[in-house]
Amino acid sequence: QAPPPTKAPTNAPTPVVPTITPPTSPSNYYLLEKGVASECPSAADAVIEEECLAAAYSVGGQLNLPDWLNVIDFQNFVPCGCFLWFNDDGSMLVDYNTATTGCVAEPRAQMICKSQAPPPTKAPTNAPTPLPTPLVTSPPTKSPSTSPTLSPLQASTNDPTGLSTSAPTNVPTKGSSVAPTQLPTSSTTQAPTVVPTKKPTHLPTNAPTVSSTASPTASPTASPTASLTATPT
């Protein structure tokens, strides 16, 4: 008797649950247009099997994706590498085709590729870039300085100052000084002094005085005067 026939092979592969490797950066993975590519272009890198499921979740996490990776080895039927498969009933698969030849674009497949890493940026320097500092002027001091300034702050005025100076000014003051000076003036003054001088003036007056300069004594003197008076008493 002939042996019983063997069961016909199934078209569906055995599901494989791989270990999900998280991508280094979700922005490294991207989707190609659906049904237009059989493999990743030369400007991109193919996603390896260990990263395929994690890459699918990074670019299609909003889709109804399974939590397992469907590993197949088909030629002349589906793309090569990592791709999404859209079933007619609305379900989806994350497929990884291990074949490297006979890659075919399929309307129900959408390739997942990895962008090539950009060139590394230059390392930052430890020292900051020096910036010019703004010019800061010194604030004025509250007390006068010990040495004179190189240039006067204000122009000299012709008006007399309110305080007396140690040296005579070139322009006379408009009014009398507040305090009398200790030294006699070089010329006679127009008005008599408030306090009489201790000594007589060196020049006699041209007109006689209105009243006697000295009043007579209340009692006679004990001795006669040394000289006669100019007029009889």
Side-chain angles (χ1 to χ4, degrees), residues 54-162:
Y57 270 89
S58 67
V59 296
Q62 74 280 3
L63 302 175
N64 187 21
L65 300 178
D67 57 355
W68 52 275
L69 179 65
N70 186 33
V71 180
I72 56 177
D73 186 7
F74 290 163
Q75 292 183 353
N76 302 321
F77 178 54
V78 292
C80 298
C82 182
F83 58 91
L84 299 179
W85 181 266
F86 296 84
N87 289 316
D88 296 336
D89 59 358
S91 62
M92 296 185 62
L93 293 175
V94 180
D95 289 342
Y96 186 84
N97 187 9
T98 58
T100 57
T101 59
C103 309
V104 178
E106 223 285 340
R108 292 171 291 180
Q110 188 171 9
M111 288 293 302
I112 303 174
C113 298
K114 184 178 180 180
S115 62
Q116 295 179 353
T121 58
K122 295 182 180 180
T125 57
N126 295 327
T129 305
L131 296 177
T133 55
L135 181 61
V136 179
T137 58
S138 301
T141 56
K142 296 181 180 180
S143 58
S145 58
T146 56
S147 59
T149 56
L150 298 177
S151 60
L153 298 180
Q154 295 180 354
S156 58
T157 59
N158 294 325
D159 297 333
T161 58

Side-chain angles (χ1 to χ4, degrees), residues 174-210:
K174 295 180 179 180
S176 59
S177 59
V178 179
T181 58
Q182 297 178 357
L183 299 176
T185 58
S186 58
S187 60
T188 58
T189 58
Q190 300 294 332
T193 57
V194 179
V195 182
T197 57
K198 296 180 180 180
K199 297 180 181 180
T201 57
H202 63 283
L203 296 176
T205 58
N206 295 325
T209 57
V210 178

